[in-house]
Amino acid sequence: MHLREIILSAGLLMALASSAHAASILVNTADDELNDDGDCSLREAVHSANTNPVSGVDACNSGDAGADTITIMVNGTIQITSQIEVTEALSIQGLGMDATVLSGNFQTRHFLVNMPDDSNHFSISGLTLRDGRASTVPPGSGINGGGSIAVVERTGELIIDSVRFTGNRTIATPLPSLGGAILVSLETGVTASIEVRDSNFDRNWSEAGGGALHARAEPGSTIDALTIARTRFELNQTEGSGGAIDAGIAQFSITDSVFENNVASSDDCCNRGGAL
């Protein structure tokens, strides 16, 4: 066997090994369910990706140990009746902002993300997340937030690509109410990063900070970068600080993006930053 053939064979084996540790799961129904009726809902697909059962969940493919990919083959709206928990590395893809819509119906956030460690990444692309409503994260904690997505305790990289967040909100409570669309709140010892590109945030609301996005890390943890590109923030509002974004970040980059008509407004002394 020639050297080139050996190198090609090694590359093929590596590709096969990589693919063996990640699954592709197709969602083929708009129903929000976890049962055995012969189709694959988004909730069932995420459950299969989280738990990696040998035979899958309902008609969904089984997840694998690697970063699984869920493709939502639904052109229309999926009504989410309760938050969907993501506990393993995962990529969720829709058919486009104008095609695939997840609605919380003002009753629930869409996703609660809590990974085993900060090597597990979560990405979401090609859909609209609308009308989400936050609750405490995790249940019983002293934080309330993330009207659409709450990333809590542990994660790696969070990637938002071609997603519209609209009409999401936190609940006004005595707890800090943060991140109308997205809350990132990390426990001690975790390092994470956030990348947002080609997306829209409009008409999201939070009570205490970050009308669209709030990111925080406990002492000893780091959000080492927030990168925003080609993204629009419009008509987001908070009664705390950061009408669009409220964040403590080591490195912060915004390019080719628009902030318009975002508001930080309250009767308190210390609200500031209409945009960020």
Side-chain angles (χ1 to χ4, degrees):
M1 181 178 287
H2 294 294
L3 176 60
R4 176 178 171 80
E5 293 172 326
I6 294 171
I7 292 172
L8 289 173
S9 297
L12 179 59
L13 288 172
M14 290 176 66
L16 290 173
S18 175
S19 66
H21 292 287
S24 177
I25 305 173
L26 300 182
V27 172
N28 58 17
T29 178
D31 295 338
D32 183 24
E33 59 190 14
L34 183 57
N35 57 26
D36 241 345
D37 65 350
D39 55 21
C40 182
S41 72
L42 176 58
R43 189 176 300 276
E44 290 166 342
V46 174
H47 188 60
S48 190
N50 287 339
T51 58
N52 306 327
V54 173
S55 58
V57 175
D58 199 358
C60 303
N61 290 339
S62 176
D64 281 316
D68 299 329
T69 298
I70 293 174
T71 304
I72 307 173
M73 305 298 293
V74 173
N75 191 341
T77 299
I78 299 174
Q79 298 281 348
I80 303 297
T81 56
S82 62
Q83 69 183 12
I84 297 175
E85 296 192 26
V86 178
T87 59
E88 294 291 341
L90 184 62
S91 173
I92 297 177
Q93 305 171 352
L95 298 178
M97 269 193 250
D98 298 326
T100 303
V101 178
L102 305 186
S103 173
N105 201 30
F106 301 113
Q107 300 299 314
T108 181
R109 74 166 59 88
H110 303 98
F111 297 102
L112 176 65
V113 180
N114 189 354
M115 300 296 189
D117 57 57
D118 53 12
S119 68
N120 285 249
H121 308 313
F122 178 66
S123 68
I124 189 164
S125 63
L127 69 165
T128 287
L129 300 175
R130 78 178 188 207
D131 301 340
R133 187 168 182 239
S135 57
T136 56
V137 287
S141 77
I143 303 171
N144 171 358
S148 177
I149 297 176
V151 181
V152 298
E153 296 187 0
R154 293 175 299 277
T155 193
E157 189 175 18
L158 171 65
I159 300 173
I160 307 295
D161 183 5
S162 303
V163 178
R164 182 188 180 195
F165 295 84
T166 182
N168 302 291
R169 58 184 294 116
T170 64
I171 301 170
T173 71
L175 299 173
S177 179
L178 306 164
I182 299 174
L183 169 68
V184 179
S185 178
L186 303 179
E187 69 174 13
T188 300
V190 174
T191 299
S193 62
I194 305 167
E195 181 176 356
V196 181
R197 54 184 182 251
D198 300 306
S199 295
N200 295 329
F201 293 77
D202 63 274
R203 297 175 176 81
N204 302 289
W205 180 90
S206 77
E207 181 187 30
L213 168 66
H214 178 90
R216 54 180 276 170
E218 296 297 327
S221 292
T222 304
I223 301 174
D224 58 11
L226 171 59
T227 304
I228 297 171
R230 302 175 303 279
T231 292
R232 187 177 190 90
F233 295 83
E234 184 177 10
L235 296 171
N236 301 289
Q237 184 172 356
T238 183
E239 295 183 11
S241 295
I245 298 173
D246 181 22
I249 304 292
Q251 297 184 59
F252 198 117
S253 171
I254 301 174
T255 57
D256 301 322
S257 297
V258 174
F259 291 78
E260 185 173 11
N261 295 324
N262 302 286
V263 177
S265 174
S266 76
D267 296 329
D268 297 332
C269 69
C270 304
N271 56 293
R272 53 178 68 91
L276 53 92

